[in-house]
Amino acid sequence: MKLSTKGRYGLRALIDLALYSENEAASIASIAARQQISESYLEQLIAKLRKAGLVKSVRGAGGGYKLAKPAAEISVGDILRALEGSLDAVNCPGLEEDGFCEGSELCVTKYVWQKINESINRTVDEIRLDQLIEESRKMKDEAGTVGSCCVN
């Protein structure tokens, strides 16, 4: 499984938003500048995150975006699914209740795909946004700057 820039940039943007919107809303322009992401692309990502109920907009002077719920309640899985859709590495019809696969009863590989999919989903659901914020703050203390990721 390989995540697209939507997932990678969106996760960086949400970490940034969580770090910088505790007291006041963060603007698209400020997040884009800090994360080196184009504003137009970031607007598309924020729209998806907003639709998923992960961020909310704040209108008026000093407006922008904030988290829609506490960082401890947002998992990396929530963020990635909002941006990427399913995180399953393999789409196997034999694993779906109504999916048709002619050899499903005799297929041993579907067990492998199921385990891989479960492992990916469990891992990203266990990592919470507040943990990433804490790690970012530790890095700041050590390096003197807040960061969420390499620039890629």
Side-chain angles (χ1 to χ4, degrees), residues 29-152:
S30 65
I31 298 168
R34 284 188 296 267
Q35 295 303 314
Q36 298 177 357
I37 302 170
S38 85
E39 287 184 40
S40 61
Y41 192 52
L42 184 56
E43 285 173 355
Q44 294 172 38
L45 301 178
I46 293 291
K48 287 182 177 235
L49 294 166
R50 189 170 165 221
K51 186 177 178 184
L54 300 177
V55 299
K56 63 182 177 183
S57 61
V58 177
R59 295 182 181 267
Y65 292 91
K66 294 184 99 146
L67 295 180
K69 50 188 169 182
E73 295 177 18
I74 300 173
S75 73
V76 170
D78 296 332
I79 298 164
L80 295 178
R81 280 186 209 89
L83 297 166
E84 300 276 358
S86 172
L87 300 177
D88 288 351
V90 176
N91 188 7
C92 175
L95 295 175
E96 299 171 18
E97 272 187 46
D98 57 350
F100 175 74
C101 178
E102 200 168 300
S104 182
E105 289 86 36
L106 301 173
C107 181
V108 175
T109 59
K110 76 177 182 181
Y111 175 78
V112 175
W113 310 144
Q114 181 179 21
K115 291 295 182 187
I116 290 170
N117 291 344
E118 288 171 356
S119 179
I120 291 168
N121 283 288
R122 183 177 52 253
T123 300
V124 296
D125 287 338
E126 288 174 352
I127 305 168
R128 299 283 169 178
L129 189 55
D130 64 329
Q131 294 170 297
L132 298 176
I133 294 164
E134 185 61 33
E135 285 299 315
S136 183
R137 288 185 176 139
K138 283 181 191 174
M139 288 178 186
K140 179 186 184 244
D141 291 343
E142 293 170 9
T145 184
V146 174
S148 61
C149 184
C150 54
V151 182
N152 66 16

